[in-house]
Amino acid sequence: MAGTKTLTIIKPGAVRNEYVGPILAKINANGFHIAALKLIRLTKEQAERFYSVHREKHFFRSLINFMTSGQVVVAILEKENAVAEYRKLMGATDPLKAEKGTIRKLFAENIERNAVHGSDSDENAEIECNFFFARSERFSNFDT
Ligand code: GDP
């Protein structure tokens, strides 16, 4: 059975451009419950650990510099089939390839400064939610 949560990060470019409100509104309008939310600034160590799968990629250094360049909003989003549903709402990694109406089409600057992160599997959603949030900071509609 598909999971009910995913982790999103509203990236520094979108926070700087005052897109936090519009992006959260779109998330809510698409039926996601916000189960946890905070505004933080990632340390270099946190950003490197979070994106460690991309360590060997040509864009890794640039991505880390960008992700630590300002505040980010991190949030746990809940919905049935959350990972796939949110990736659909987010759109393709490259905003030039993202479908009309998606968050990245509307708010991204380019392939790196692409407005939001979304988990890519239930397994990673679990890891990423634990990366940012203690149990006491979560307000799930699904857990009993
Ligand atoms: P996502 O799951 O759609 O976010 O994509 P990936 O996991 O493949 O990449 C992680 C993040 O790295 C993306 O969201 C972008 O911010 C950045 N990124 C991915 N591909 C490229 C690229 O080709 N060039 C640059 N500069 N950044 C990239």
Side-chain angles (χ1 to χ4, degrees):
M1 200 186 84
T4 52
K5 67 174 178 299
T6 190
L7 182 99
T8 191
I9 304 177
I10 304 178
K11 299 186 182 185
V15 174
R16 262 192 298 273
N17 287 328
E18 305 293 357
Y19 292 150
V20 172
I23 290 172
L24 291 178
K26 203 148 179 55
I27 285 168
N28 280 147
N30 280 269
F32 290 89
H33 165 67
I34 297 171
L37 182 75
K38 57 187 165 192
L39 179 71
I40 56 170
R41 179 137 186 188
L42 295 178
T43 63
K44 187 164 156 283
E45 187 275 332
Q46 276 179 312
E48 286 177 348
R49 197 151 43 91
F50 187 82
Y51 279 118
S52 60
V53 295
H54 295 302
R55 197 169 284 278
E56 305 305 325
K57 304 268 174 63
H58 67 93
F59 57 81
F60 184 69
R61 240 14 312 148
S62 173
L63 177 62
I64 299 307
N65 286 338
F66 168 55
M67 291 301 293
T68 56
S69 69
Q71 295 86 2
V72 298
V73 169
V74 290
I76 298 176
L77 309 180
E78 289 188 333
K79 188 179 183 175
E80 297 286 355
N81 199 17
V83 167
E85 286 290 304
Y86 189 60
R87 290 198 71 87
K88 197 162 70 185
L89 176 61
M90 194 164 74
T93 309
D94 182 351
L96 294 173
K97 296 178 185 151
E99 277 187 46
K100 206 166 154 235
T102 59
I103 293 174
R104 282 168 165 172
K105 188 65 168 184
L106 289 165
F107 302 112
E109 296 162 68
N110 56 45
I111 191 168
E112 180 174 282
R113 299 173 176 242
N114 59 359
V116 286
H117 165 84
S119 307
D120 64 3
S121 67
D122 287 337
E123 191 190 353
N124 283 336
E126 185 69 35
I127 293 168
E128 292 175 1
C129 291
N130 291 336
F131 190 100
F132 288 111
F133 293 100
R135 290 281 152 198
S136 60
E137 296 174 306
R138 301 182 191 193
F139 304 91
S140 175
N141 275 356
F142 285 93
D143 298 344
T144 48

